Amino acid sequence: MKRTGSIFLLVSVLFAAGWAWQFFSARQRAAHYEATDAVILANRIGREWVENPVPEHDGDRHTVQYRAEYLLEYNHAGRLFHHWRQDHFASIQRFRVEAALGNFAPGTRMTGYIDPGHPERMVSSLAGWQAYTGALVFGILAFLCAATGFVLRKLSPHKPSNPIMVYLG
């Protein structure tokens, strides 16, 4: 059991390393972007065909999915950029997307984040809770593996470190 406890402790170190990598890579990506002011010029409802998750209910393999889209205008280093963005919310019910479209009314100002090396790329948020989910999972697994390793090492019977060998012969 002592060996099993040691294996769990080793696995916890690997999970802790995964946690650190997830956490710091998300922080580094966020630090690279610059904040800029943007204004919404137009909005629309985008439509795309997606695979139906439950085709046996209505017999069709594909269905229409709607998503709010909005045109942003922003300035970086003296250049004016126009960029269509999609909202993260999508639905097969058009009226739900029409209601969400109100959040993206023309004339609305917002803060966006651009990559200075590629100013045509813009994101609306940086390193939200989703970016740290991987770090959280790795942290919890590291803690559970370490706790299991310590318990298994405590429960293992104590063996002397230098057993005495007696040869008969």
Side-chain angles (χ1 to χ4, degrees):
M1 265 219 273
K2 197 167 194 156
R3 174 172 279 180
T4 305
S6 298
I7 290 171
F8 270 98
L9 289 173
L10 177 64
V11 169
S12 72
V13 169
L14 295 174
F15 278 128
W19 172 85
W21 178 78
Q22 288 281 326
F23 181 80
F24 289 114
S25 64
R27 297 280 300 204
Q28 183 181 13
R29 283 191 306 269
H32 183 69
Y33 285 76
E34 293 178 2
T36 188
D37 292 325
V39 63
I40 297 175
L41 297 180
N43 62 15
R44 66 184 182 199
I45 295 179
R47 182 181 143 154
E48 62 186 351
W49 287 96
V50 295
E51 192 161 330
N52 192 348
V54 195
E56 55 272 359
H57 287 292
D58 59 7
D60 193 7
R61 292 184 47 94
H62 294 90
T63 187
V64 175
Q65 178 173 283
Y66 301 98
R67 188 182 302 267
E69 298 176 347
Y70 49 98
L71 177 63
L72 289 173
E73 179 182 72
Y74 57 96
N75 188 353
H76 177 71
R79 284 183 58 198
L80 198 60
F81 291 91
H82 294 92
H83 182 69
W84 278 100
R85 295 279 305 154
Q86 288 186 334
D87 187 23
H88 298 290
F89 174 72
S91 176
I92 60 171
Q93 298 172 323
R94 185 181 171 97
F95 74 91
R96 293 188 186 276
V97 176
E98 288 172 349
L101 202 58
N103 296 331
F104 308 105
T108 304
R109 294 199 164 280
M110 64 178 286
T111 300
Y113 302 91
I114 58 170
D115 179 354
H118 301 279
E120 68 279 359
R121 297 181 190 166
M122 180 184 212
V123 295
S124 55
S125 63
L126 291 178
W129 65 269
Q130 298 94 340
Y132 296 108
T133 303
L136 180 66
V137 168
F138 277 112
I140 290 170
L141 289 173
F143 174 78
L144 291 175
C145 285
T148 303
F150 282 120
V151 167
L152 288 175
R153 286 179 67 89
K154 279 289 190 195
L155 293 177
S156 67
H158 179 68
K159 294 181 182 174
S161 58
N162 287 328
I164 299 173
M165 305 281 286
V166 176
Y167 292 102
L168 300 172

